[in-house]
Amino acid sequence: PSKPSIDPTTQLELGFAYIATGATIPSNFTTVNLYLENTEWTSARSPATDPPWALASTNNPFAGTVDIEATTAAAGNYVTLTKPAAGTENLANYATLSFRIRPKATWANAKGLTLTWLNGTTQVGLPLVLKSNTFGFNSATLSYQLVALPLSLFNTGQNLITTLKAAISGGGSSIGFYLDNVILQTAADSSTSSTIR
C-alpha cells in the first residue's frame, strides 16, 4: 500500500495508518475514551442543573445509552471531562480530538462551543471555537455529525493536561445540542513508527 498524496490547498490530513492484510484495525492505533457512557472521564457542569446540562441523558445518544445534553445553554455555561485519579495526558501523543454532536436547532452566527484544555484549573495551549460552518460542522443539520479536530491546533506542546472544558460562547440566543463519543485518537505510520500523524 502507498499513502495517497494530500493537496494542502483543499485538504487537511487528520491521520494515516497502514492496515495489515487480514486485519480489521490498524496497528499502532490508540484511542482514549473521554465520554462514551459517562463512566470514562469524570463529567461536571456549570451551572449544576438540568437544564441546561444533563450529563447522562438518555435522549438521542449517538451510541450506547447516554449522551451529554445541552438545553437552552447560554454563554458561560460549560461542561468538563476530567481524567480520573489525578491522571494526566500528553496531547503530543495523539493526533485528533473527535466527537459526535447533534444540534437541536440552528445556532446564531456568533454562537459557538469553545473547547479548552486545562491542567487543573490552568489553561494549556489555545482554545478552539466550534461554530456553524467550521471544522465541517453545520448547525442547520439536525443529526449527529462527526467533528475531528487536529490536536496541533490547540498548541499544547508537551504540556500535560487533565481536563477538557466545553463552554458556550458568543452572542445570540441560547443553544441546545447532544454531545457523545468524545475520543482522543492517534495512528502511527508503520513505515516511520516514531512519527505520529
Side-chain angles (χ1 to χ4, degrees):
S2 61
K3 182 177 177 180
S5 61
I6 301 297
D7 180 354
T9 63
T10 59
Q11 299 170 317
L12 174 65
E13 180 180 0
L14 296 178
F16 177 79
Y18 289 106
I19 300 176
T21 302
T24 57
I25 60 172
S27 59
N28 300 322
F29 183 78
T30 303
T31 62
V32 174
N33 300 320
L34 281 64
Y35 185 99
L36 298 176
E37 289 290 323
N38 198 32
T39 59
E40 298 78 21
W41 285 27
T42 304
S43 60
R45 59 193 178 177
S46 178
T49 57
D50 178 12
W53 298 109
L55 299 178
S57 172
T58 56
N59 296 327
N60 299 307
F62 173 75
T65 60
V66 297
D67 58 26
I68 297 171
E69 181 178 5
T71 303
T72 62
N77 297 166
Y78 65 86
V79 63
T80 58
L81 299 172
T82 301
K83 188 167 183 176
T88 59
E89 287 287 349
N90 184 342
L91 297 181
N93 295 329
Y94 302 94
T96 60
L97 169 69
S98 68
F99 53 88
R100 300 286 179 155
I101 186 167
R102 176 182 173 173
K104 293 183 178 182
T106 303
W107 298 4
N109 289 337
K111 192 62 74 179
L113 186 65
T114 299
L115 301 166
T116 308
W117 294 102
L118 307 171
N119 188 329
T121 58
T122 302
Q123 179 177 318
V124 179
L126 303 172
L128 289 185
V129 181
L130 177 69
K131 292 184 174 183
S132 193
N133 301 313
T134 63
F135 302 107
F137 171 66
N138 183 344
S139 70
T141 302
L142 305 183
S143 58
Y144 269 108
Q145 300 167 58
L146 173 63
V147 175
L149 303 174
L151 287 168
S152 60
L153 296 180
F154 289 100
N155 198 29
T156 58
Q158 294 288 333
N159 297 302
L160 300 179
I161 62 90
T162 60
T163 303
L164 174 63
K165 179 179 180 180
I168 309 301
S169 57
S173 59
S174 59
I175 58 175
F177 57 88
Y178 305 95
L179 185 65
D180 205 356
N181 288 33
V182 183
I183 301 171
L184 290 172
Q185 296 178 311
T186 192
D189 181 338
S190 63
S191 66
T192 54
S193 60
S194 63
T195 302
I196 302 296
R197 303 243 180 216

